[in-house]
Amino acid sequence: TEDFFLLPLAPSRSVPPGSPSQQHITMTLIDQHCMNRIGTGAAVGGALGASIGAMYGTYEAIRYKVPGLYKIRYIGQTTVSSAAVFGLFLGAGSLLHCGRR
């Protein structure tokens, strides 16, 4: 059902091109496109942040000699926090970029 919003609309004979209803349809498509871009940016940022956080967390856990199973907890915390920050910033950047037309 989401693909429906990405398809271009064929011009209708009953709705003139400059009418308010045609503008509403166009704005709905643009808004849906922006939401897709923001979601994609946040997902890519989260994946990138998680991978970098996992590598950095592993490095720090080994460097500071975190004992036993605390290593897994430390790596997990670093992974999740890094993914959240990267996802937030890439999603925000996509939002700002989407506003430019």
Side-chain angles (χ1 to χ4, degrees):
T1 59
E2 285 185 86
D3 296 335
F4 170 75
F5 293 106
L6 299 177
L7 297 174
L9 291 176
S12 173
R13 292 185 180 152
S14 63
V15 179
S19 70
S21 61
Q22 182 69 25
Q23 291 172 356
H24 176 71
I25 291 170
T26 305
M27 286 305 294
T28 303
L29 289 173
I30 290 172
D31 291 343
Q32 184 65 32
H33 183 67
C34 284
M35 291 304 292
N36 287 341
R37 289 182 72 177
I38 293 167
T40 302
V44 169
L48 180 67
S51 62
I52 290 174
M55 288 188 297
Y56 184 68
T58 303
Y59 168 73
E60 275 199 342
I62 293 171
R63 179 179 175 201
Y64 293 119
K65 296 181 174 75
V66 177
L69 292 177
Y70 287 118
K71 285 182 182 135
I72 296 172
R73 179 179 174 190
Y74 187 78
I75 293 168
Q77 285 177 343
T78 307
T79 300
V80 170
S81 63
S82 180
V85 169
F86 271 72
L88 175 72
F89 282 114
L90 235 60
S94 297
L95 174 67
L96 292 175
H97 184 69
C98 193
R100 295 183 188 172
R101 290 267 176 218

